[in-house]
């Protein structure tokens, strides 16, 4: 029997589980430090592990070259790539179909402080989904990130985290434009320390032609 195709919601759940596992592990290893203090590659590795453990047809590559991803997806035409996709750029996680063609672009961020941290990631995902979408094997993109905060004078930690996530979603939709659908998926909010909170979020991105 051929391995079954993994549903997109299942993949999203695995990505969010990866952030939760990374938070728990780093907290344990470090004696209480939260994930925002860990290097980003730790999140990438943990998320990739959680996806790899899913039952179904898939492969995963890390730091996969952008150009080779488009070639393998059957999307690379003649000429140079759009400016948002660097010829020698790389994808954090490339999720492959079981039949050896790329399925999804996954970009990850640890603690967002400014729009400049992720604007290029969002635009790059958009271009990946748009290029020759009628024949490309790339089905969707994901931008996933971790947020934490401490209660301040004007907002609680919970309010800060939720507001930041809403703002990132709003900005993502603006960067992508009307040809895309972006939907938000989040973990439960965790308040393990007094006046502190954290949450992980996934923005699922699809081009309307895919």
């Amino acid at each position: 029997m051929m391995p079954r195709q993994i549903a997109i919601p299942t993949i999203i759940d695995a990505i969010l589980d990866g952030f939760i596992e990374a938070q728990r592990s780093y907290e344990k290893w470090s004696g209480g430090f939260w994930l925002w203090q860990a290097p980003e590659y730790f999140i990438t590795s943990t998320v990739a592990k959680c996806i790899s453990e899913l039952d179904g047809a898939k492969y995963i590559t890390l730091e996969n070259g952008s150009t080779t991803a488009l070639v393998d997806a059957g999307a690379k035409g003649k000429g140079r790539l759009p400016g948002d996709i660097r010829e020698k750029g790389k994808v954090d996680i490339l999720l492959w179909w079981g039949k050896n063609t790329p399925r999804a672009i996954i970009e990850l961020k640890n603690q967002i402080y400014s729009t400049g941290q992720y604007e290029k990631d969002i635009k790059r995902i958009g271009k990946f989904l748009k290029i020759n979408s009628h024949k490309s094997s790339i089905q969707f993109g994901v931008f996933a990130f971790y947020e934490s905060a401490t209660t301040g004078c004007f907002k609680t930690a919970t309010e800060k985290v939720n507001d930041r996530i809403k703002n990132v979603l709003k900005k993502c939709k603006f960067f992508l434009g009307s040809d895309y659908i972006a939907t938000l998926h989040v973990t439960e909010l965790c308040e393990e320390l007094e006046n502190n909170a954290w949450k992980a979020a996934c923005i699922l991105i699809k081009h309307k032609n895919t």
Side-chain angles (χ1 to χ4, degrees):
M1 182 182 293
M2 292 288 290
R4 64 181 178 82
Q5 177 180 316
I6 304 170
I8 292 176
T10 303
I11 296 167
I12 296 296
D13 286 345
I15 294 170
L16 293 173
D17 286 345
F19 278 88
I20 295 170
E21 183 175 324
Q23 164 75 20
R24 299 282 183 242
S25 296
Y26 196 70
E27 208 172 349
K28 181 179 179 180
W29 298 349
S30 66
F33 289 105
W34 280 15
L35 189 58
W36 68 271
Q37 294 165 295
E40 207 161 75
Y41 68 78
F42 177 62
I43 294 175
T44 302
S45 299
T46 309
V47 168
K49 170 182 166 289
C50 287
I51 298 173
S52 73
E53 291 170 348
L54 292 175
D55 182 27
K58 85 285 180 187
Y59 299 102
I60 295 167
T61 51
L62 304 181
E63 297 291 328
N64 201 105
S66 297
T67 301
T68 56
L70 287 168
V71 170
D72 290 334
K76 178 73 168 68
K78 295 180 180 180
R80 295 182 62 81
L81 293 174
D84 293 316
I85 301 179
R86 292 179 292 115
E87 297 279 348
K88 295 182 180 180
K90 295 180 179 180
V91 174
D92 286 345
I93 298 176
L94 186 65
L95 175 64
W96 298 65
W97 297 97
K99 56 180 182 289
N100 297 320
T101 54
R103 181 182 183 187
I105 307 296
I106 302 170
E107 297 286 355
L108 308 169
K109 278 286 180 286
N110 185 9
Q111 196 76 18
I112 293 173
Y113 297 100
S114 70
T115 305
Q117 282 181 268
Y118 63 92
E119 179 177 356
K120 290 182 179 179
D121 288 325
I122 299 302
K123 290 181 177 178
R124 184 165 59 250
I125 291 172
K127 286 295 193 299
F128 266 107
L129 296 176
K130 186 176 182 179
I131 295 174
N132 293 318
S133 59
H134 60 288
K135 62 179 182 180
S136 174
S137 67
I138 299 175
Q139 182 187 28
F140 64 96
V142 172
F143 177 69
F145 59 101
Y146 172 92
E147 280 292 348
S148 64
T150 300
T151 294
C153 296
F154 302 105
K155 288 185 179 181
T156 66
T158 297
E159 289 171 333
K160 285 183 179 180
V161 169
N162 287 333
D163 286 351
R164 288 176 189 171
I165 291 173
K166 288 177 185 176
N167 186 58
V168 172
L169 177 63
K170 181 180 178 181
K171 292 283 189 181
C172 286
K173 289 181 176 180
F174 173 75
F175 295 141
L176 291 166
S178 60
D179 290 337
Y180 299 84
I181 299 170
T183 54
L184 179 65
H185 307 264
V186 296
T187 62
E188 292 184 4
L189 188 96
C190 294
E191 299 174 282
E192 296 158 357
L193 296 174
E194 186 178 358
N195 297 324
N196 288 269
W198 70 266
K199 200 174 196 177
C202 272
I203 298 176
L204 172 65
I205 302 168
K206 298 194 75 174
H207 192 273
K208 289 182 178 177
N209 287 343
T210 60

